[in-house]
């Protein structure tokens, strides 16, 4: 509808056009830009910093309570969910925040704290600085994300780590009791090994002159028995719950290897997750921290011990398993039982591992390497065989 003519600034008359309630036409704006958000997450608070794509200096926008609703409300003020990319450091707060943001349509990663770039001489550390640093390096692409497992795999990881903690507590309790007995001249003369049923029966027969020492013995012995019962219970829980786990086929296949029984196989599967995310065996070895460290400059090359970075739980488990390869390759009844129901390809890889790693053990000892160095080298190669088993097409399809 055309309205009455009105004079404009130049004195000319023009007609106004009424919209009749329709949306005014707007010029197409520039393409939406991504905003990078650094989250410094603590138990009670979250400090938020933002870095824009145009290269301007990052800045802190808020410090809020550690609550999902408060965080989502603040992030919505920063822009549309599809424009935001968030990150925070791996730590005791876990992966729940990452899962919540990804489910809400906001891209979020969890980064490895040890691989965040650091400036030499920077001795000031605050929550605001940490958030700004995360936002800046997320924009520049200098952060290394960690693998976020699914909730079921994380639950199995918690279970196998609980058993590991229980095993550590058992060793501590046994050490305290053995030192108490040694201090008072009590030495076991039996032929069976320490902490066997016969050994514990012998401990129960001991009697001290003073009642105070007798009560100490009872207390220490009870601590050992309770710690052992806890380890047994958690081991049984692992055996029961692995049956309903999505990575059960991988656990079954890994047990075809010598020295890799149920607990070790569950530890490897729970800590590493799907093997498809490792494109090569050396990548897996480096992730576990079993590759040699190196300091080279110019024409000088210097290599040291293993890096010990990455997942220490898997590294420890593989080193313990590698000791089994000091024996000649053979198919014991126990290994044959674990090979039942496993594919021919996996069995071939496991048998090749036995032959190769035993020969490797003999060669390294002949070259003068210590047993510990030799076993560590075997653990590195064992990781390669684990990668080969985990990359079998059938296992990758079942894990997916």
């Amino acid at each position: 509808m055309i309205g009455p003519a009105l004079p404009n600034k130049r004195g000319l008359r023009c007609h106004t056009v009424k919209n009749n309630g329709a949306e005014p036409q707007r010029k197409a704006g520039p393409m939406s830009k991504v905003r990078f958000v650094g989250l410094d997450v603590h138990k009670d608070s979250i400090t938020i910093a933002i870095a824009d794509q145009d290269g301007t200096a990052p800045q802190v926008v808020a410090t809020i309570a550690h609550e999902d609703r408060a965080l989502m409300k603040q992030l919505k003020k920063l822009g549309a969910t599809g424009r935001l990319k968030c990150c925070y450091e791996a730590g005791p707060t876990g992966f729940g925040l990452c899962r919540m943001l990804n489910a809400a349509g906001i891209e979020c990663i969890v980064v490895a704290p040890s691989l965040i770039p650091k400036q030499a001489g920077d001795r000031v550390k605050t929550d605001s600085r940490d958030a700004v640093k995360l936002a800046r390096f997320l924009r520049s692409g200098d952060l290394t994300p960690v693998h976020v497992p699914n909730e079921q795999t994380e639950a199995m990881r918690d279970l196998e780590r609980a058993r590991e903690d229980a095993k550590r507590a058992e060793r501590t309790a046994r050490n305290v009791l053995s030192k108490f007995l040694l201090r008072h001249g009590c030495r076991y003369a039996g032929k069976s090994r320490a902490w066997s049923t016969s050994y514990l029966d012998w401990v129960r027969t001991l009697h001290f002159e003073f009642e105070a020492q007798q009560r100490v013995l009872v207390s220490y012995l009870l601590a050992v028995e309770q710690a052992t019962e806890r380890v047994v219970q958690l081991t049984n829980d692992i055996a029961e719950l692995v049956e309903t786990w999505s990575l059960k086929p991988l656990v079954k296949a890994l047990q075809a290897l010598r020295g890799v029984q149920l607990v070790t196989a569950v530890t490897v599967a729970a800590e590493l997750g799907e093997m498809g995310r490792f494109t090569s065996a050396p990548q897996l070895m480096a992730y576990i921290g079993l590759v040699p460290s190196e300091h080279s400059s110019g024409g000088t090359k210097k290599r040291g011990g293993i890096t010990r970075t990455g997942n220490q739980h898997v590294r420890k488990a593989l080193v313990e398993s590698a000791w089994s390869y000091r024996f000649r390759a053979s198919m014991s009844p126990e290994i044959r039982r674990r090979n039942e129901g496993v594919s021919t390809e996996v069995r071939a890889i496991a048998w090749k591992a036995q032959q190769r790693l035993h020969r490797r053990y003999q060669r390294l000892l002949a070259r003068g390497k210590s047993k510990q160095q030799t076993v560590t080298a075997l653990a590195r190669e064992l990781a390669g065989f684990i990668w080969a088993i985990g990359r079998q097409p059938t296992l990758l399809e079942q894990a997916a």
Side-chain angles (χ1 to χ4, degrees), residues 153-232:
T153 299
E154 186 180 12
M156 289 299 296
R157 178 186 295 183
D158 290 337
L159 181 59
E160 55 90 1
R161 288 186 180 183
R163 185 196 177 276
E164 183 179 345
D165 294 337
K167 196 68 179 177
R168 187 182 303 111
E170 181 190 41
R171 287 195 298 269
T172 300
R174 287 178 172 182
N175 183 62
V176 171
L177 176 56
S178 64
K179 295 302 181 288
F180 172 76
L181 298 178
L182 181 62
R183 190 163 64 248
H184 294 285
C186 302
R187 294 179 174 83
Y188 179 60
K191 296 182 179 179
S192 58
R193 59 184 178 83
W195 309 113
S196 63
T197 302
S198 300
Y199 178 85
L200 292 176
D201 290 340
W202 168 76
V203 173
R204 294 186 183 98
T205 62
L206 296 176
H207 180 74
F208 290 89
E209 178 182 359
F210 297 100
E211 181 63 21
Q213 293 173 334
Q214 190 66 31
R215 295 191 180 188
V216 169
L217 174 65
V218 172
S219 176
Y220 284 162
L221 183 58
L222 179 62
V224 170
E225 292 172 342
Q226 290 177 338
T228 302
E229 290 175 1
R230 184 183 170 205
V231 172
V232 172

Coordinates of all heavy atoms in Angstrom, one line a residue, residues 153-232:
T153 N 32.4 -48.1 28.6 CA 33.8 -48.3 28.7 C 34.4 -47.6 29.8 O 35.3 -48.1 30.5 CB 34.5 -47.9 27.4 OG1 33.9 -48.7 26.3 CG2 36.0 -48.1 27.4
E154 N 34.0 -46.4 30.1 CA 34.5 -45.6 31.3 C 34.1 -46.4 32.6 O 34.9 -46.4 33.5 CB 33.9 -44.2 31.3 CG 34.6 -43.4 32.4 CD 34.0 -41.9 32.4 OE1 33.0 -41.7 31.7 OE2 34.6 -41.1 33.1
A155 N 33.0 -47.0 32.6 CA 32.6 -47.7 33.8 C 33.5 -48.9 34.0 O 33.9 -49.2 35.2 CB 31.1 -48.2 33.7
M156 N 33.8 -49.6 32.9 CA 34.7 -50.8 33.1 C 36.1 -50.3 33.4 O 36.9 -51.0 34.2 CB 34.8 -51.6 31.8 CG 33.5 -52.4 31.5 SD 33.2 -53.6 32.8 CE 34.6 -54.7 32.6
R157 N 36.5 -49.1 33.0 CA 37.8 -48.5 33.3 C 37.8 -48.3 34.9 O 38.8 -48.5 35.5 CB 38.1 -47.3 32.6 CG 39.4 -46.6 32.9 CD 39.5 -45.2 32.2 NE 39.6 -45.4 30.8 CZ 39.8 -44.4 29.9 NH1 39.9 -43.1 30.4 NH2 39.9 -44.6 28.6
D158 N 36.8 -47.7 35.4 CA 36.7 -47.5 36.8 C 36.8 -48.8 37.6 O 37.5 -48.8 38.7 CB 35.4 -46.8 37.2 CG 35.3 -45.4 36.7 OD1 36.4 -44.8 36.5 OD2 34.2 -44.8 36.5
L159 N 36.2 -49.8 37.1 CA 36.3 -51.1 37.8 C 37.7 -51.7 37.8 O 38.1 -52.2 38.8 CB 35.3 -52.1 37.1 CG 35.2 -53.5 37.8 CD1 34.8 -53.4 39.2 CD2 34.2 -54.4 37.0
E160 N 38.3 -51.7 36.7 CA 39.7 -52.3 36.6 C 40.7 -51.4 37.4 O 41.6 -52.0 38.0 CB 40.1 -52.6 35.2 CG 40.1 -51.4 34.2 CD 41.4 -50.6 34.2 OE1 42.3 -51.0 34.9 OE2 41.4 -49.6 33.5
R161 N 40.5 -50.1 37.4 CA 41.3 -49.3 38.2 C 41.1 -49.5 39.7 O 42.0 -49.4 40.6 CB 41.1 -47.8 37.9 CG 41.7 -47.5 36.5 CD 41.6 -46.0 36.2 NE 42.2 -45.7 34.9 CZ 42.3 -44.4 34.4 NH1 41.9 -43.4 35.1 NH2 42.8 -44.2 33.2
A162 N 39.8 -49.8 40.1 CA 39.5 -50.1 41.5 C 40.2 -51.3 41.9 O 40.8 -51.4 43.1 CB 38.0 -50.2 41.7
R163 N 40.3 -52.3 41.0 CA 41.0 -53.6 41.4 C 42.5 -53.3 41.5 O 43.2 -53.8 42.4 CB 40.8 -54.6 40.3 CG 41.5 -56.0 40.7 CD 41.6 -56.9 39.5 NE 42.3 -58.1 39.9 CZ 43.6 -58.2 39.9 NH1 44.4 -57.2 39.6 NH2 44.2 -59.4 40.3
E164 N 43.0 -52.4 40.6 CA 44.5 -52.0 40.7 C 44.7 -51.4 42.1 O 45.8 -51.6 42.7 CB 44.8 -51.1 39.6 CG 46.3 -50.8 39.5 CD 46.6 -49.9 38.3 OE1 45.8 -49.8 37.4 OE2 47.7 -49.2 38.3
D165 N 43.8 -50.5 42.5 CA 44.0 -49.8 43.8 C 43.9 -50.8 44.9 O 44.7 -50.7 45.9 CB 42.9 -48.8 44.0 CG 43.1 -47.6 43.0 OD1 44.2 -47.4 42.5 OD2 42.1 -46.9 42.8
A166 N 43.0 -51.8 44.8 CA 42.9 -52.8 45.8 C 44.2 -53.7 45.9 O 44.6 -54.1 47.0 CB 41.7 -53.7 45.6
K167 N 44.7 -54.0 44.8 CA 46.0 -54.8 44.7 C 47.1 -54.0 45.4 O 47.9 -54.6 46.1 CB 46.3 -55.1 43.3 CG 47.3 -56.2 43.1 CD 46.8 -57.5 43.5 CE 47.8 -58.7 43.3 NZ 47.3 -60.0 43.8
R168 N 47.2 -52.7 45.2 CA 48.2 -51.9 45.8 C 48.0 -51.9 47.3 O 49.0 -52.0 48.1 CB 48.1 -50.5 45.2 CG 49.3 -49.6 45.7 CD 49.1 -48.2 45.2 NE 49.1 -48.1 43.7 CZ 48.0 -47.8 43.0 NH1 46.9 -47.5 43.6 NH2 48.0 -47.8 41.7
A169 N 46.8 -51.8 47.8 CA 46.5 -51.8 49.2 C 46.9 -53.2 49.8 O 47.4 -53.2 50.9 CB 45.0 -51.5 49.5
E170 N 46.7 -54.2 49.0 CA 47.0 -55.5 49.5 C 48.6 -55.7 49.7 O 49.0 -56.2 50.7 CB 46.5 -56.6 48.6 CG 46.8 -58.0 49.0 CD 46.5 -59.1 47.9 OE1 46.8 -58.8 46.7 OE2 46.0 -60.1 48.2
R171 N 49.3 -55.2 48.7 CA 50.8 -55.2 48.8 C 51.2 -54.4 50.0 O 52.2 -54.8 50.7 CB 51.4 -54.6 47.6 CG 51.3 -55.6 46.4 CD 52.3 -55.1 45.3 NE 51.9 -53.8 44.8 CZ 51.1 -53.6 43.7 NH1 50.5 -54.6 43.1 NH2 50.9 -52.4 43.3
T172 N 50.6 -53.2 50.3 CA 51.0 -52.4 51.4 C 50.7 -53.2 52.7 O 51.6 -53.2 53.7 CB 50.2 -51.1 51.4 OG1 50.5 -50.4 50.2 CG2 50.6 -50.2 52.6
A173 N 49.5 -53.8 52.9 CA 49.2 -54.5 54.1 C 50.1 -55.7 54.3 O 50.6 -56.0 55.4 CB 47.8 -55.0 54.0
R174 N 50.5 -56.4 53.3 CA 51.4 -57.5 53.4 C 52.8 -57.0 53.8 O 53.5 -57.7 54.6 CB 51.5 -58.3 52.1 CG 50.3 -59.1 51.8 CD 50.4 -59.8 50.4 NE 49.3 -60.7 50.2 CZ 49.2 -61.5 49.1 NH1 50.1 -61.4 48.1 NH2 48.2 -62.3 49.0
N175 N 53.2 -55.9 53.2 CA 54.6 -55.4 53.6 C 54.6 -55.0 55.0 O 55.6 -55.3 55.7 CB 54.9 -54.2 52.7 CG 56.3 -53.7 52.9 OD1 57.3 -54.4 52.7 ND2 56.3 -52.4 53.4
V176 N 53.6 -54.4 55.5 CA 53.6 -54.0 57.0 C 53.6 -55.2 57.9 O 54.4 -55.2 58.9 CB 52.3 -53.1 57.2 CG1 52.1 -52.9 58.7 CG2 52.3 -51.8 56.5
L177 N 52.9 -56.2 57.6 CA 52.9 -57.4 58.4 C 54.2 -58.1 58.3 O 54.8 -58.5 59.4 CB 51.8 -58.4 57.9 CG 51.7 -59.7 58.7 CD1 51.6 -59.5 60.2 CD2 50.6 -60.6 58.1
S178 N 54.8 -58.3 57.1 CA 56.1 -59.0 57.0 C 57.2 -58.2 57.8 O 58.1 -58.9 58.4 CB 56.5 -59.1 55.6 OG 56.7 -57.9 54.9
K179 N 57.2 -56.9 57.7 CA 58.2 -56.2 58.5 C 58.0 -56.2 60.0 O 59.0 -56.3 60.7 CB 58.2 -54.7 58.0 CG 58.6 -54.5 56.6 CD 59.9 -55.0 56.3 CE 60.3 -54.8 54.8 NZ 59.5 -55.7 53.9
F180 N 56.8 -56.3 60.4 CA 56.5 -56.5 61.8 C 57.1 -57.9 62.3 O 57.7 -58.0 63.4 CB 55.0 -56.4 62.1 CG 54.6 -56.8 63.5 CD1 54.8 -56.0 64.6 CD2 54.0 -58.1 63.7 CE1 54.4 -56.3 65.9 CE2 53.6 -58.4 65.0 CZ 53.8 -57.5 66.1
L181 N 56.8 -58.9 61.5 CA 57.3 -60.2 61.9 C 58.9 -60.3 61.9 O 59.5 -60.9 62.7 CB 56.8 -61.3 60.9 CG 55.2 -61.5 61.0 CD1 54.8 -62.5 59.9 CD2 54.8 -61.8 62.3
L182 N 59.5 -59.7 60.8 CA 60.9 -59.7 60.8 C 61.5 -58.9 61.9 O 62.6 -59.3 62.4 CB 61.3 -59.0 59.4 CG 62.8 -59.0 59.1 CD1 63.4 -60.4 59.1 CD2 63.1 -58.2 57.8
R183 N 60.9 -57.8 62.3 CA 61.4 -57.0 63.4 C 61.5 -57.8 64.7 O 62.3 -57.6 65.6 CB 60.6 -55.8 63.6 CG 61.1 -54.8 64.5 CD 60.4 -53.4 64.3 NE 59.0 -53.4 64.6 CZ 58.1 -53.2 63.8 NH1 58.4 -53.1 62.5 NH2 56.8 -53.3 64.1
H184 N 60.6 -58.8 64.9 CA 60.5 -59.6 66.1 C 61.1 -61.0 65.9 O 60.8 -61.9 66.7 CB 59.1 -59.7 66.6 CG 58.6 -58.3 67.1 ND1 59.0 -57.8 68.3 CD2 57.7 -57.4 66.5 CE1 58.4 -56.6 68.4 NE2 57.6 -56.4 67.3
G185 N 61.9 -61.2 64.8 CA 62.6 -62.5 64.6 C 61.7 -63.6 64.2 O 62.1 -64.8 64.4
C186 N 60.5 -63.4 63.6 CA 59.7 -64.5 63.2 C 59.9 -64.8 61.7 O 59.6 -63.9 60.9 CB 58.2 -64.1 63.4 SG 57.8 -63.7 65.1
R187 N 60.5 -65.9 61.4 CA 60.9 -66.3 60.1 C 60.2 -67.6 59.7 O 60.3 -68.6 60.4 CB 62.4 -66.4 59.9 CG 63.2 -65.1 60.1 CD 64.7 -65.2 60.0 NE 65.4 -64.0 60.0 CZ 65.7 -63.3 61.2 NH1 65.4 -63.9 62.3 NH2 66.3 -62.2 61.1
Y188 N 59.7 -67.6 58.5 CA 58.9 -68.7 58.0 C 59.9 -69.8 57.5 O 60.8 -69.4 56.6 CB 57.9 -68.3 56.9 CG 57.1 -69.4 56.3 CD1 56.3 -70.2 57.1 CD2 57.2 -69.7 55.0 CE1 55.5 -71.2 56.6 CE2 56.4 -70.7 54.4 CZ 55.6 -71.5 55.2 OH 54.9 -72.5 54.7
A189 N 59.8 -71.0 58.0 CA 60.7 -72.1 57.6 C 60.1 -73.1 56.6 O 60.7 -74.1 56.2 CB 61.3 -72.8 58.8
G190 N 58.8 -72.8 56.2 CA 58.2 -73.8 55.3 C 58.7 -73.7 53.9 O 59.4 -72.8 53.5
K191 N 58.2 -74.7 53.1 CA 58.7 -74.7 51.7 C 57.8 -74.0 50.7 O 58.2 -73.6 49.6 CB 58.7 -76.2 51.3 CG 59.8 -77.0 52.0 CD 59.8 -78.5 51.5 CE 60.9 -79.3 52.3 NZ 60.9 -80.7 51.8
S192 N 56.5 -73.7 51.1 CA 55.6 -73.0 50.2 C 56.0 -71.5 50.2 O 56.7 -71.0 51.1 CB 54.2 -73.1 50.7 OG 54.0 -72.7 52.0
R193 N 55.5 -70.8 49.2 CA 55.9 -69.4 49.0 C 55.1 -68.5 50.0 O 54.2 -68.9 50.6 CB 55.6 -69.0 47.6 CG 54.1 -69.1 47.2 CD 53.9 -68.7 45.8 NE 52.5 -68.9 45.4 CZ 51.5 -68.0 45.6 NH1 51.8 -66.9 46.2 NH2 50.3 -68.3 45.3
A194 N 55.6 -67.3 50.2 CA 55.0 -66.4 51.1 C 53.6 -66.0 50.6 O 53.3 -66.0 49.4 CB 55.8 -65.1 51.2
W195 N 52.7 -65.8 51.6 CA 51.3 -65.5 51.4 C 50.5 -66.6 50.9 O 49.3 -66.3 50.5 CB 51.2 -64.2 50.6 CG 52.1 -63.1 51.1 CD1 53.2 -62.5 50.5 CD2 52.0 -62.4 52.4 NE1 53.7 -61.6 51.3 CE2 53.0 -61.5 52.5 CE3 51.1 -62.6 53.5 CZ2 53.2 -60.7 53.6 CZ3 51.3 -61.8 54.6 CH2 52.4 -60.8 54.6
S196 N 51.0 -67.8 50.8 CA 50.2 -68.9 50.5 C 49.3 -69.3 51.7 O 49.4 -68.7 52.8 CB 51.1 -70.1 50.1 OG 51.9 -70.5 51.2
T197 N 48.4 -70.3 51.5 CA 47.6 -70.7 52.6 C 48.4 -71.2 53.7 O 48.1 -71.0 54.9 CB 46.6 -71.8 52.1 OG1 45.8 -71.3 51.0 CG2 45.7 -72.2 53.2
S198 N 49.5 -72.0 53.5 CA 50.3 -72.5 54.5 C 51.0 -71.4 55.3 O 51.2 -71.5 56.5 CB 51.4 -73.5 53.9 OG 50.7 -74.6 53.3
Y199 N 51.5 -70.4 54.5 CA 52.2 -69.3 55.2 C 51.2 -68.5 56.1 O 51.6 -68.2 57.3 CB 52.7 -68.3 54.1 CG 53.4 -67.1 54.7 CD1 54.7 -67.1 55.0 CD2 52.7 -65.9 54.9 CE1 55.4 -66.0 55.5 CE2 53.3 -64.8 55.4 CZ 54.6 -64.8 55.7 OH 55.2 -63.7 56.2
L200 N 50.0 -68.3 55.7 CA 49.0 -67.6 56.6 C 48.6 -68.4 57.8 O 48.4 -67.9 58.9 CB 47.8 -67.2 55.7 CG 48.0 -66.1 54.7 CD1 46.8 -65.9 53.9 CD2 48.5 -64.8 55.3
D201 N 48.5 -69.7 57.6 CA 48.3 -70.6 58.7 C 49.4 -70.5 59.7 O 49.1 -70.6 61.0 CB 48.1 -72.1 58.2 CG 46.8 -72.3 57.5 OD1 45.9 -71.4 57.6 OD2 46.7 -73.2 56.7
W202 N 50.6 -70.4 59.3 CA 51.8 -70.3 60.2 C 51.7 -69.0 60.9 O 51.9 -68.9 62.2 CB 53.1 -70.4 59.4 CG 54.3 -69.9 60.2 CD1 54.9 -70.7 61.2 CD2 55.0 -68.7 60.1 NE1 56.0 -69.9 61.7 CE2 56.0 -68.7 61.0 CE3 54.8 -67.6 59.3 CZ2 56.9 -67.6 61.2 CZ3 55.7 -66.5 59.5 CH2 56.7 -66.5 60.4
V203 N 51.3 -67.9 60.3 CA 51.2 -66.6 60.9 C 50.1 -66.7 62.0 O 50.3 -66.1 63.1 CB 50.8 -65.5 59.9 CG1 50.6 -64.2 60.6 CG2 52.0 -65.3 58.9
R204 N 49.1 -67.4 61.8 CA 48.0 -67.5 62.8 C 48.4 -68.2 64.1 O 47.8 -68.1 65.1 CB 46.8 -68.1 62.2 CG 46.1 -67.3 61.1 CD 44.9 -67.9 60.6 NE 44.3 -67.2 59.4 CZ 44.5 -67.5 58.2 NH1 45.2 -68.6 57.9 NH2 43.9 -66.8 57.2
T205 N 49.5 -69.1 63.9 CA 49.9 -69.8 65.1 C 50.9 -69.1 66.0 O 51.3 -69.5 67.1 CB 50.6 -71.1 64.6 OG1 51.8 -70.8 63.8 CG2 49.6 -72.0 63.8
L206 N 51.4 -67.9 65.5 CA 52.4 -67.2 66.3 C 51.7 -66.6 67.6 O 50.6 -66.2 67.6 CB 52.9 -66.0 65.4 CG 53.7 -66.4 64.2 CD1 54.1 -65.2 63.4 CD2 54.9 -67.3 64.5
H207 N 52.6 -66.5 68.6 CA 52.1 -66.0 69.9 C 53.2 -65.1 70.5 O 54.4 -65.5 70.5 CB 51.8 -67.1 70.9 CG 51.3 -66.6 72.2 ND1 50.0 -66.1 72.4 CD2 51.9 -66.6 73.4 CE1 49.9 -65.7 73.6 NE2 51.0 -66.0 74.3
F208 N 52.9 -63.9 70.9 CA 53.8 -63.0 71.5 C 53.6 -62.9 73.0 O 52.5 -63.2 73.5 CB 53.7 -61.6 70.9 CG 54.1 -61.5 69.4 CD1 53.2 -61.8 68.4 CD2 55.4 -61.2 69.1 CE1 53.6 -61.7 67.1 CE2 55.8 -61.1 67.8 CZ 55.0 -61.4 66.8
E209 N 54.7 -62.6 73.7 CA 54.7 -62.6 75.1 C 53.8 -61.5 75.6 O 53.0 -61.7 76.6 CB 56.1 -62.4 75.7 CG 56.2 -62.3 77.2 CD 57.6 -62.0 77.7 OE1 58.5 -61.9 76.8 OE2 57.8 -61.9 78.9
F210 N 53.8 -60.3 75.0 CA 53.0 -59.2 75.4 C 51.7 -59.1 74.6 O 51.7 -59.3 73.4 CB 53.8 -57.9 75.3 CG 55.0 -57.8 76.1 CD1 56.3 -58.1 75.6 CD2 55.0 -57.6 77.5 CE1 57.4 -58.1 76.4 CE2 56.1 -57.5 78.3 CZ 57.3 -57.8 77.7
E211 N 50.6 -58.8 75.3 CA 49.3 -58.7 74.7 C 49.2 -57.7 73.7 O 48.5 -57.8 72.7 CB 48.2 -58.5 75.8 CG 46.8 -58.5 75.3 CD 46.4 -59.8 74.7 OE1 47.0 -60.8 75.0 OE2 45.4 -59.8 73.8
A212 N 49.9 -56.5 73.9 CA 49.9 -55.4 72.9 C 50.4 -55.9 71.6 O 49.8 -55.6 70.5 CB 50.8 -54.3 73.4
Q213 N 51.5 -56.7 71.5 CA 52.1 -57.2 70.3 C 51.1 -58.2 69.6 O 51.0 -58.3 68.4 CB 53.4 -57.7 70.5 CG 54.5 -56.7 70.9 CD 55.8 -57.3 71.3 OE1 55.9 -58.4 71.7 NE2 56.9 -56.5 71.1
Q214 N 50.5 -59.0 70.5 CA 49.6 -60.0 70.0 C 48.4 -59.3 69.2 O 47.9 -59.8 68.2 CB 49.1 -60.9 71.1 CG 48.3 -62.1 70.6 CD 49.2 -63.1 69.9 OE1 50.4 -63.2 70.1 NE2 48.6 -63.8 68.9
R215 N 47.9 -58.2 69.8 CA 46.8 -57.5 69.2 C 47.2 -56.8 67.9 O 46.5 -56.7 66.9 CB 46.2 -56.5 70.2 CG 45.6 -57.2 71.4 CD 44.8 -56.2 72.2 NE 44.2 -56.9 73.4 CZ 43.3 -56.3 74.2 NH1 42.9 -55.0 74.0 NH2 42.8 -56.9 75.2
V216 N 48.5 -56.4 67.9 CA 49.0 -55.8 66.6 C 49.0 -56.9 65.5 O 48.7 -56.6 64.4 CB 50.4 -55.2 66.9 CG1 51.1 -54.9 65.5 CG2 50.4 -54.0 67.7
L217 N 49.5 -58.1 65.9 CA 49.5 -59.2 64.9 C 48.1 -59.5 64.4 O 47.9 -59.6 63.1 CB 50.1 -60.4 65.5 CG 50.1 -61.7 64.7 CD1 50.9 -61.5 63.5 CD2 50.5 -62.9 65.5
V218 N 47.1 -59.5 65.2 CA 45.8 -59.8 64.8 C 45.3 -58.7 63.9 O 44.6 -59.0 62.9 CB 44.8 -59.9 66.0 CG1 43.4 -60.0 65.6 CG2 45.2 -61.2 66.8
S219 N 45.6 -57.4 64.2 CA 45.1 -56.3 63.4 C 45.8 -56.4 62.0 O 45.1 -56.2 61.0 CB 45.5 -55.0 64.1 OG 45.1 -53.9 63.3
Y220 N 47.1 -56.6 61.9 CA 47.8 -56.6 60.7 C 47.3 -57.8 59.8 O 47.1 -57.7 58.6 CB 49.3 -56.7 60.9 CG 50.0 -55.5 61.3 CD1 51.2 -55.5 61.9 CD2 49.4 -54.2 61.1 CE1 51.9 -54.3 62.3 CE2 50.0 -53.1 61.5 CZ 51.2 -53.1 62.1 OH 51.8 -51.9 62.5
L221 N 47.1 -58.9 60.4 CA 46.6 -60.1 59.7 C 45.2 -59.9 59.1 O 44.9 -60.3 58.0 CB 46.6 -61.3 60.6 CG 46.2 -62.7 60.0 CD1 47.1 -63.0 58.8 CD2 46.3 -63.8 61.0
L222 N 44.4 -59.3 59.9 CA 43.0 -58.9 59.5 C 43.0 -58.0 58.3 O 42.3 -58.2 57.3 CB 42.2 -58.3 60.6 CG 40.8 -57.9 60.3 CD1 39.9 -59.2 59.9 CD2 40.1 -57.2 61.5
A223 N 43.9 -57.0 58.3 CA 44.1 -56.1 57.2 C 44.5 -56.8 55.9 O 44.0 -56.5 54.8 CB 45.1 -55.0 57.5
V224 N 45.4 -57.8 56.0 CA 45.8 -58.5 54.9 C 44.7 -59.4 54.3 O 44.4 -59.4 53.1 CB 47.0 -59.5 55.2 CG1 47.3 -60.4 54.1 CG2 48.2 -58.6 55.5
E225 N 43.9 -60.0 55.2 CA 42.8 -60.9 54.7 C 41.7 -60.0 54.1 O 41.2 -60.5 53.0 CB 42.2 -61.6 55.9 CG 43.2 -62.7 56.5 CD 42.7 -63.3 57.8 OE1 41.8 -62.7 58.4 OE2 43.2 -64.4 58.2
Q226 N 41.4 -58.9 54.6 CA 40.4 -58.0 54.0 C 40.8 -57.5 52.7 O 40.0 -57.4 51.8 CB 40.0 -56.9 55.0 CG 39.3 -57.3 56.2 CD 39.0 -56.2 57.2 OE1 39.7 -55.2 57.2 NE2 38.1 -56.3 58.1
A227 N 42.1 -57.1 52.6 CA 42.6 -56.6 51.3 C 42.5 -57.7 50.2 O 42.2 -57.4 49.1 CB 44.0 -56.1 51.5
T228 N 42.9 -58.9 50.6 CA 42.9 -60.0 49.6 C 41.4 -60.3 49.2 O 41.2 -60.6 48.0 CB 43.5 -61.3 50.3 OG1 44.9 -61.0 50.6 CG2 43.5 -62.4 49.3
E229 N 40.5 -60.3 50.1 CA 39.1 -60.5 49.8 C 38.6 -59.5 48.8 O 37.8 -59.8 47.9 CB 38.3 -60.6 51.1 CG 38.5 -61.8 51.9 CD 37.7 -61.7 53.2 OE1 37.0 -60.7 53.4 OE2 37.9 -62.6 54.1
R230 N 39.0 -58.2 49.0 CA 38.6 -57.2 48.1 C 39.1 -57.4 46.7 O 38.4 -57.2 45.7 CB 39.1 -55.8 48.7 CG 38.6 -54.6 47.9 CD 39.2 -53.4 48.4 NE 38.9 -52.2 47.6 CZ 39.7 -51.1 47.5 NH1 40.7 -51.0 48.3 NH2 39.4 -50.1 46.7
V231 N 40.4 -57.8 46.6 CA 40.9 -58.1 45.3 C 40.2 -59.2 44.6 O 39.8 -59.1 43.4 CB 42.4 -58.4 45.4 CG1 43.0 -58.9 44.0 CG2 43.2 -57.2 45.9
V232 N 39.9 -60.3 45.3 CA 39.1 -61.4 44.8 C 37.7 -61.0 44.3 O 37.3 -61.4 43.2 CB 39.1 -62.6 45.8 CG1 38.1 -63.7 45.3 CG2 40.4 -63.1 46.1

